[in-house]
């Protein structure tokens, strides 16, 4: 599997430019990084094929689409038996309200980011979905009061890539 060590400076610049604006045309991208369009397109296709570029998506303004309530949820599970933990992970991945899930060290076992319209929807999600999973032992909810930064580009400085503009 390719790693970050396999990326050269041009690959790093391509990735940084696409993180800043995934809608760049191939011609615009090639111009920004100093390549002609054909080799630029070949590199982008290779970066996609090799899994460096996972997807292209639109970043939505959560409040504008009625999803302005974010909660960070610490979850402790009752046991770490593989089959029960696998079932928990499958259930979590299937819940659209959970936009991010991390297995973490510390007091909690998992940290979830939950996005819903409001507190009432969160209560229904919590009671009807999350707490109904038999492996869940404890949940601690942290409601986001204000979001200062979210979904930003990855920091690629270790690859020699310029910061996203």
């Amino acid at each position: 599997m390719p790693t970050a060590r396999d990326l050269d400076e041009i690959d790093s610049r391509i990735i940084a430019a696409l993180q800043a604006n995934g809608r760049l045309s191939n011609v615009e991208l090639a111009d920004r990084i100093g390549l002609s369009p054909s080799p630029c397109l070949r590199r982008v296709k290779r970066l996609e094929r090799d899994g460096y570029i996972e997807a292209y998506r639109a970043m939505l303004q959560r409040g504008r689409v009625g999803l302005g309530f974010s909660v960070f949820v610490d979850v402790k599970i009752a046991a770490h038996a593989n089959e029960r933990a696998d079932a928990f992970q499958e259930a979590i991945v299937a819940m659209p309200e959970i936009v991010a899930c991390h297995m973490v060290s510390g007091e909690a076992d998992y940290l979830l980011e939950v996005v819903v319209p409001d507190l009432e929807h969160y209560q229904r999600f919590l009671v009807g979905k999350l707490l109904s999973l038999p492996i869940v032992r404890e949940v601690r909810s942290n409601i986001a009061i204000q979001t200062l930064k979210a979904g930003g580009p990855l920091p690629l400085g270790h690859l020699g890539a310029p910061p996203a503009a």
Side-chain angles (χ1 to χ4, degrees):
M1 172 169 236
T3 66
R5 291 186 300 269
D6 299 325
L7 297 174
D8 64 17
E9 181 185 342
I10 293 172
D11 292 333
S12 299
R13 291 193 340 243
I14 289 171
I15 291 170
L18 288 174
Q19 276 198 120
N21 182 356
R23 291 186 61 145
L24 286 173
S25 72
N26 183 57
V27 172
E28 292 170 317
L29 178 62
D31 187 52
R32 280 201 190 169
I33 62 166
L35 274 183
S36 61
S38 291
C40 181
L41 184 59
R42 280 194 299 274
R43 282 178 176 260
V44 170
K45 293 297 182 192
R46 180 181 47 78
L47 291 166
E48 292 170 348
R49 183 185 66 245
D50 290 349
Y52 292 101
I53 299 173
E54 186 175 11
Y56 298 92
R57 19 181 107 100
M59 289 186 61
L60 304 178
Q61 176 52 253
R62 292 177 181 186
R64 297 283 302 230
V65 295
L67 294 169
F69 197 80
S70 298
V71 184
F72 296 90
V73 184
D74 293 331
V75 178
K76 291 183 186 179
I77 59 175
H80 291 274
N82 283 346
E83 57 279 350
R84 291 186 74 200
D86 288 346
F88 170 79
Q89 290 177 6
E90 287 175 18
I92 292 300
V93 169
M95 294 178 192
E97 300 90 346
I98 299 173
V99 298
C101 173
H102 306 275
M103 181 185 286
V104 296
S105 64
E107 288 189 36
D109 297 306
Y110 293 90
L111 175 63
L112 313 178
E113 182 179 0
V114 177
V115 177
V116 291
D118 52 34
L119 182 59
E120 180 182 331
H121 281 84
Y122 178 66
Q123 179 184 0
R124 284 200 305 258
F125 163 80
L126 180 64
V127 174
K129 290 187 175 183
L130 190 58
L131 292 176
S132 69
L133 298 174
I135 195 171
V136 172
R137 181 179 61 152
E138 185 179 326
V139 169
R140 178 167 291 149
S141 301
N142 298 285
I143 297 170
I145 304 300
Q146 179 183 23
T147 300
L148 302 176
K149 182 179 181 180
L154 295 177
L156 301 175
H158 68 290
L159 299 176

